[in-house]
Amino acid sequence: LTGVPREQRAFQYLLAHAIPGDPRHVLQTFDQWCYRREHLSSVGPVKGRIVERLLYERAPRHVLELGTYCGYGTVLLAQGLPPGARLYTVAVDPRHAAVAEKVIRLAGFDEQTVELIVGPSEEVIPQLREKHGLLKADFVFMDHWKRCYLRDLQLLETHRLLAEGATVLADNVLFPGAPHFLQYAKTCSKYRCKVHRASLEY
């Protein structure tokens, strides 16, 4: 009715209530909006703890996120990076990317730490090395269209963008589901697989 997209409404709430430069408070404020006002398809605090734990265990230097949406997952990943690490995040929708950019900067992360790339993942992935300087990713977080998971994993393999021992974390593989991705990951003999059980966000 207002003509303002809900993603933009969420950002306006962040501007009014979040502490600039405090990524944890930005995430908490985001959670408050999603619990009390409107649902957004962000990672959320429950699955967020899984992401945080894996980042702490792996301490990756180069992280790739496929599916920026409003920047919640990006801030979650960025706050868990070791010093000097870099995060590349790929957003397909320019309108969502515009919101995400403001959320990321509000949380205190500059372009040296987080690079936001706008475009379809199947076009961006082949350009990551030459155009964006990502030689190999130590940690990949997939949270975009589920039908793209397998295609994009195989693109990363084809372009040799996965470091040896890299972690690939994919959200919502059971529901709404990415069965072809899951089958490939379990049967291709390139990966050791673990399913983390969690509830849907919010």
Side-chain angles (χ1 to χ4, degrees), residues 7 27 37 43-44 56 70 73-74 77 108 121 134 151 166 171 173 181 188 198:
E7 294 83 11
L27 293 177
R37 305 291 181 92
V43 180
Y56 178 76
C70 291
T74 314
L77 291 165
S121 54
L134 174 60
R151 180 202 68 196
D171 194 15
V173 293
F181 167 85
C188 73

Side-chain angles (χ1 to χ4, degrees), residues 62 88 115 127-136:
H62 301 96
Y88 303 81
E115 180 177 348
Q127 300 176 338
L128 282 171
R129 180 173 288 111
E130 283 73 24
K131 193 171 179 181
H132 302 281
L134 174 60
L135 301 180
K136 290 187 183 291

